[in-house]
């Protein structure tokens, strides 16, 4: 299968290449794609070297699937051109997520919605992905009424510039800044741009995307998203109010059986999910599972995942795997 990776030189693009290799996706020919300034650079994949081409050049090479990770502008411009050429696009930007004509997919949650007509498929926001994988089986069993989520998000979610800022600050060096404030030894309660309602765009993404992926607009969601000086993964404190009551041990068992979830919940032995433990893993880790004693039929969870893997690259590759398995590419 001919596979194009658009944005192959970026943080998520590099991770996509790693995940494609690790999961033995049936790549017969890799087409690494990046901007004009990266044209001709060499990318190594499974011991072979491939030259980077531009997005326009890649269309002519007729890949079967193109995994986009080059920002919303590139996706808006090129995804329709690829689709027009018969190439299936899995897009990692926010460009198509809330487009009613495009599917927003987390394979373990709503992979069944994919069809042959879907030529541009949206990969959700990283913080939404890890949350809905956990919400899905609980919604099926107890019916979710409301979710309150606070996130603790890794600097890797912003990109290389943010990682460099953190490392420069830690080393006491001046350098280029991704954030308006110091991130080392600090937290910034601001991810993406502020909206008229006082929420940030990241917070609104979590609210709207959760409803779309879960296929249920009756679930009320509110979010506060925060950047912290951590690498390796995003963490989330999730408070879930259900219509029906639950047994905490049964909740643990349901989550343990959910595809893509690992329960790490043994407070007596200080076992709970942390970003450093999620780093490099494809699964979502969940722990601190307990009843909210301030309100009936309400549960508290702590959810952690590697935002560059399940939150981006792995989910995109899993969508491609599902398309392949269904014979859609």
């Amino acid at each position: 299968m001919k596979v194009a990776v658009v944005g192959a030189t970026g943080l998520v693009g590099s991770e996509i290449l790693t995940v494609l290799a690790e999961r033995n996706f049936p790549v017969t020919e890799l087409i690494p794609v990046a901007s004009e300034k990266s044209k001709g650079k060499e990318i190594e994949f499974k011991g072979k070297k491939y030259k980077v081409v531009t997005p326009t050049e890649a269309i002519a090479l007729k890949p079967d699937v193109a995994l986009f990770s080059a920002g919303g502008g590139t996706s808006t411009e090129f995804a329709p051109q690829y689709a027009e050429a018969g190439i299936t696009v899995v897009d990692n930007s926010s460009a198509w997520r809330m487009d009613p004509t495009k599917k927003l997919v987390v394979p373990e949650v709503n992979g069944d919605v994919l069809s042959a007509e879907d030529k541009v498929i949206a990969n959700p926001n990283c913080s939404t992905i890890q949350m809905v994988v956990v919400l899905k089986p609980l919604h099926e069993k107890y019916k979710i009424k409301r979710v309150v989520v606070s996130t603790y998000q890794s600097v890797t979610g912003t990109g290389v510039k943010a990682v460099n800022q953190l490392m420069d600050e830690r080393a006491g060096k001046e350098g280029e800044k991704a954030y308006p404030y110091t991130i080392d030894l600090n937290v910034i309660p601001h991810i993406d741009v502020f909206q008229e309602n006082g929420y940030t765009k990241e917070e609104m993404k979590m609210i709207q995307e959760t409803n779309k992926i879960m296929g249920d607009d009756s679930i009320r969601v509110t979010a506060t998203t925060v950047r912290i000086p951590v690498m390796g993964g995003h963490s989330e404190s999730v408070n879930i109010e259900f219509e029906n009551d639950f047994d905490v041990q049964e909740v643990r068992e349901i989550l343990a059986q959910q595809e893509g979830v690992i329960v790490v919940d043994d407070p007596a032995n200080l076992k709970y999910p942390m970003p450093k433990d999620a780093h490099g893993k494809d699964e979502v880790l969940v722990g601190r599972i307990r009843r909210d004693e301030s309100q009936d039929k309400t549960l508290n969870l702590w959810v952690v995942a590697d935002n560059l893997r399940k939150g981006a690259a792995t989910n995109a590759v899993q969508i491609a795997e599902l398309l392949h398995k269904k014979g859609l590419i």
Side-chain angles (χ1 to χ4, degrees):
M1 188 174 298
K2 285 169 86 166
V3 178
V5 177
V6 182
T9 56
L11 259 187
V12 176
S14 303
E15 201 66 44
I16 286 173
L17 294 171
T18 301
V19 174
L20 284 168
E22 282 180 7
R23 295 175 74 92
N24 284 316
F25 191 79
V27 180
T28 50
E29 185 185 334
L30 179 74
I31 305 167
V33 185
S35 63
E36 192 71 46
K37 67 174 191 223
S38 296
K39 183 180 170 175
K41 266 190 187 172
E42 287 196 330
I43 295 272
E44 191 168 315
F45 178 74
K46 286 193 160 183
K48 279 181 76 176
K49 287 190 162 50
Y50 297 88
K51 277 197 163 49
V52 170
V53 299
T54 66
T56 305
E57 289 170 334
I59 296 172
L61 296 171
K62 288 271 190 282
D64 299 289
V65 63
L67 307 178
F68 271 57
S69 175
T74 302
S75 297
T76 304
E77 182 181 354
F78 288 104
Q81 295 181 38
Y82 278 62
E84 189 70 28
I87 303 158
T88 301
V89 171
V90 179
D91 180 46
N92 205 45
S93 80
S94 60
W96 307 102
R97 288 177 187 157
M98 294 316 297
D99 183 326
T101 68
K102 306 290 185 287
K103 306 283 173 60
L104 184 66
V105 176
V106 178
E108 302 95 324
V109 178
N110 66 336
D112 57 322
V113 300
L114 289 171
S115 71
E117 285 72 53
D118 298 315
K119 298 315 279 184
V120 177
I121 300 151
N123 203 35
N125 186 40
C126 46
S127 43
T128 309
I129 290 173
Q130 66 187 70
M131 184 171 76
V132 295
V133 171
V134 171
L135 294 183
K136 164 77 169 171
L138 300 179
H139 185 50
E140 286 177 349
K141 178 72 178 177
Y142 308 114
K143 190 151 177 49
I144 295 171
K145 285 172 68 177
R146 182 170 185 252
V147 177
V148 181
V149 56
S150 298
T151 73
Y152 306 74
Q153 292 179 227
S154 162
V155 292
T156 55
T158 308
V160 174
K161 198 203 281 191
V163 173
N164 291 343
Q165 178 179 340
L166 175 60
M167 289 299 124
D168 285 344
E169 288 169 356
R170 195 147 283 193
K173 288 182 351 200
E174 280 301 314
E176 196 180 13
K177 302 242 183 268
Y179 304 119
Y181 300 104
T182 299
I183 185 65
D184 190 31
L185 299 178
N186 194 24
V187 301
I188 304 174
H190 165 200
I191 299 178
D192 213 323
V193 296
F194 280 97
Q195 312 287 285
E196 280 185 14
N197 63 359
Y199 284 73
T200 65
K201 198 171 173 188
E202 180 85 356
E203 289 157 357
M204 293 310 298
K205 284 178 196 170
M206 287 196 78
I207 293 163
Q208 293 160 352
E209 290 179 22
T210 298
N211 290 139
K212 184 171 177 178
I213 297 161
M214 300 284 284
D216 190 340
D217 287 339
S218 74
I219 300 170
R220 291 171 296 152
V221 183
T222 188
T224 303
T225 59
V226 181
R227 190 70 68 190
I228 65 170
V230 156
M231 305 220 283
H234 291 348
S235 305
E236 297 173 351
S237 170
V238 188
N239 179 271
I240 312 162
E241 183 187 354
F242 297 105
E243 279 195 12
N244 304 302
D245 208 358
F246 58 86
D247 174 77
V248 172
Q249 187 51 38
E250 186 181 45
V251 167
R252 287 193 188 95
E253 288 162 12
I254 288 167
L255 291 172
Q257 287 162 21
Q258 168 67 4
E259 184 191 350
V261 169
I262 296 174
V263 174
V264 184
D265 190 44
D266 182 8
N269 291 299
L270 309 186
K271 302 282 188 195
Y272 31 70
M274 293 181 287
K276 71 177 189 61
D277 301 323
H279 185 58
K281 288 193 173 69
D282 289 334
E283 294 83 10
V284 175
L285 311 182
V286 60
R288 299 297 322 277
I289 301 166
R290 65 208 188 278
R291 189 176 285 278
D292 178 347
E293 297 192 346
S294 72
Q295 182 167 267
D296 287 344
K297 303 175 189 171
T298 304
L299 182 74
N300 284 310
L301 302 171
W302 178 251
V303 180
V304 180
D306 186 324
N307 54 294
L308 294 182
R309 303 264 315 187
K310 183 56 183 168
T314 301
N315 200 71
V317 173
Q318 285 175 318
I319 292 171
E321 287 173 342
L322 190 55
L323 291 166
H324 181 243
K325 185 179 169 187
K326 287 183 157 199
L328 302 175
I329 52 172

